Amino acid sequence: MTVIVHEADASLEPLTDQRVAVVGYGNQGRSWALNLRDSGADVVVCVRADSTREMAEADGFKPRELDAANDADVICLLIPDDVIPTLPLAPKPDALVIVASGYTLAFGRLDPACDAGMVAPRMLGPEVRRCFLEGVGFITAVGVHRDLTGTARARVLAVASAIGGLRQGAIELTPEQEAVLDLGVEQALSPALRQVSESFVRVMLEQGVPIEAIVTELVLSGEVERTYRLVRLEGGAAQMTYHSPTSQYGQLSRAGRYQHLDMVTTMRELVDDIASGRFADEWDAERDAGYPRLEELRGKAMAPEILAFEADLRARLGERAAKDPPRP
Ligand code: NDP
């Protein structure tokens, strides 16, 4: 049965007398370091001499070099997943290495000869800090990859609790499960949703609806976003009552109209690439080549004309338009 953990199931005690190294001071690293310190942990930030080091100093830490993390009892690796395998990592045998994503452990890119675990917030890095300060929770995936000392789970949960990751609840997953789910959303679900949106735009254009109106309906009005918010807050079935009878009838009577489309075969292929480690091999090769394909793909997806169209539309119909209307 799936195990769900809350603050009451954990204790900060396993971190007593433990030195916690936070490696990296970016999206997650800064929030983790500040939250761990506010929770009473003995935190050392380890970051190369770069812009984020200055930020750590401004926040009152005395940053050290990356290899200083090897002296710590708990090492939180909060740098990009493709960079983690290149670190000069040599932890003590009784140390615990923690990652914020299952990726490196799941695909054998990280295999320290000590305890290893995962505390993966389902929350953007800066929001991990904001939620902590506001006293609200966020969902976390927690898991133990290797337990040599018999203390791995207690220490993983202590770190999760110290960053505020058990307030709402944490789901116990293996790093493999977390990685397949996380990358599955990015690589199998997200492209499918993109295809759905693009098909919808095409059919609406065929009906003579202006592109501005279509994009507004899909994104700028916030209606789709708010509907998903209601699904989260009240449940998919319960939020139905907020839609008009015409809308309810239309949605429900057509609900099965795409069932004949075989989404599953392609989705399985994409997820097989993730689970088998083929994607991890491809991504390593991309990193080693200096990210040429990523640059090419980004160049197309973020082409100047697309950015300009979006900026113009948001200026006219986005949230700022109401606060700062264009002069007549
Ligand atoms: P960031 O990109 O914000 O990490 C930046 C930090 O990593 C900086 O301190 C940077 O130092 C350091 N860094 C980058 N490259 C190198 C390098 N080659 N050598 C040494 N240090 C380097 O990462 P995130 O916080 O986004 O991600 C960290 C982990 O958290 C990942 O495992 C990710 O999967 C996970 N995660 C991230 C989420 C998010 O919202 N972003 C959500 C949930 C999990 P410098 O300033 O010197 O470049």
Side-chain angles (χ1 to χ4, degrees):
M1 212 176 80
T2 308
V3 178
I4 296 181
V5 188
H6 291 99
E7 248 171 17
D9 305 312
S11 160
L12 296 178
E13 203 273 325
L15 294 184
T16 310
D17 299 330
Q18 298 262 296
R19 172 155 270 220
V20 182
V22 170
V23 179
Y25 207 72
N27 292 316
Q28 292 288 341
R30 179 168 188 265
S31 295
W32 283 47
L34 294 171
N35 293 2
L36 281 158
R37 184 172 69 183
D38 287 353
S39 294
D42 176 13
V43 179
V44 56
V45 172
C46 301
V47 66
R48 61 183 180 176
D50 219 328
S51 56
T52 50
R53 170 176 283 222
E54 288 163 24
M55 204 191 307
E57 278 165 356
D59 287 335
F61 292 104
K62 292 194 175 70
R64 301 190 54 196
E65 292 304 319
L66 293 169
D67 57 6
N70 292 329
D71 300 330
D73 305 292
V74 176
I75 305 172
C76 304
L77 299 178
L78 299 165
I79 67 174
D81 295 315
D82 49 311
V83 176
I84 287 176
T86 69
L87 282 180
L89 196 66
K92 300 188 294 183
D94 61 352
L96 164 69
V97 170
I98 291 187
V99 285
S101 144
Y103 186 95
T104 48
L105 293 175
F107 304 121
R109 266 54 182 177
L110 172 72
D111 193 19
C114 62
D115 290 357
M118 171 188 75
V119 175
R122 317 321 292 165
M123 184 56 71
L124 294 175
E127 295 300 309
V128 167
R129 179 61 178 165
R130 201 190 302 260
C131 288
F132 185 89
L133 292 175
E134 289 173 0
V136 298
F138 50 87
I139 303 282
T140 310
V142 292
V144 172
H145 181 69
R146 181 179 297 121
D147 183 9
L148 299 178
T149 65
T151 64
R153 186 172 186 272
R155 288 195 286 174
V156 163
L157 294 186
V159 168
S161 184
I163 66 164
L166 299 186
R167 283 179 187 162
Q168 188 170 343
I171 306 174
E172 279 206 43
L173 294 179
T174 64
E176 289 78 9
Q177 290 170 326
E178 195 275 340
V180 166
L181 179 61
D182 192 36
L183 272 67
V185 168
E186 294 161 2
Q187 297 179 30
L189 181 63
S190 167
L193 295 178
R194 179 183 277 250
Q195 184 70 26
V196 167
S197 292
E198 286 175 2
S199 303
F200 185 73
V201 169
R202 197 163 133 190
V203 173
M204 288 297 117
L205 285 173
E206 285 166 11
Q207 291 290 320
V209 181
I211 183 70
E212 290 82 356
I214 305 168
V215 175
T216 300
E217 193 71 17
L218 288 176
V219 187
L220 286 186
S221 71
E223 195 179 348
V224 172
E225 183 185 324
R226 290 218 160 243
T227 302
Y228 271 94
R229 189 165 178 268
L230 283 172
V231 171
R232 172 167 67 81
L233 295 174
E234 303 193 17
Q239 63 83 38
M240 253 298 162
T241 55
Y242 302 124
H243 301 252
S244 72
T246 313
S247 170
Q248 288 180 25
Y249 177 75
Q251 290 184 49
L252 296 173
S253 63
R254 267 84 178 148
R257 283 298 296 275
Y258 295 101
Q259 268 172 6
H260 63 289
L261 296 179
D262 176 20
M263 305 285 287
V264 172
T265 302
T266 306
M267 209 170 257
R268 256 190 213 122
E269 285 167 13
L270 291 165
V271 173
D272 278 351
D273 278 348
I274 299 168
S276 65
R278 280 194 294 276
F279 173 78
D281 291 342
E282 181 183 325
W283 183 222
D284 277 357
E286 176 69 11
R287 175 199 61 203
D288 295 344
Y291 304 103
R293 187 152 153 73
L294 177 61
E295 289 301 325
E296 184 196 327
L297 292 168
R298 270 189 193 148
K300 282 187 191 146
M302 297 151 91
E305 58 273 20
I306 298 177
L307 294 173
F309 171 79
E310 287 186 342
D312 174 60
L313 193 57
R314 285 174 56 243
R316 288 188 286 144
L317 282 164
E319 276 183 13
R320 279 205 46 201
K323 291 184 206 138
D324 192 13
R327 284 194 197 159

